[in-house]
Amino acid sequence: MRHPTNTHIIFADSAEEARAQYQAIQRPTRDPHPVLECFKVLDVEDFDINASFNFVGEISVGPQVMDIIRQDPERAYVLYYMEDVHVA
C-alpha cells in the first residue's frame, strides 16, 4: 500500500517547474519507484485559502503549512511522493 512521504511546498510558475525543483531536493525514498504527486493549491477543489486546514490529494495541510502557502498562493504547489514504505 502506498503512503505519502516527503511533503514540500514549492513556489513555481508551472507544475513542470515545481516538479523539477522538488526533484532537485533529492529526498531519499525507500520505494525504488515512488509516484510524485503535484497539486497547485488554488486548483484543488474545495481548497479554502482562509481555512486553518485543507486536504490536498492524500494529505491534510495544517496551520503552519497554510501560513507558507499564503505567502504566494498563486504559485504554491504541494508535492509529495506516494511510495510503498514496505519495500526493502
Side-chain angles (χ1 to χ4, degrees), residues 2-65:
R2 291 187 177 269
H3 298 278
T5 63
N6 296 313
T7 302
H8 286 278
I9 306 305
I10 302 285
F11 296 106
D13 294 320
S14 68
E16 294 78 21
E17 180 186 343
R19 286 176 183 270
Q21 286 184 39
Y22 181 91
Q23 290 171 328
I25 297 170
Q26 298 182 343
R27 301 299 276 178
T29 61
R30 294 176 66 188
D31 186 337
H33 304 289
V35 176
L36 180 56
E37 298 286 348
C38 177
F39 298 91
K40 184 173 185 177
V41 296
L42 294 183
D43 290 346
V44 173
E45 187 176 336
D46 297 329
F47 188 89
D48 180 355
I49 194 68
N50 297 310
S52 296
F53 293 89
N54 277 285
F55 287 101
V56 178
E58 297 290 323
I59 66 165
S60 64
V61 294
Q64 291 177 324
V65 175

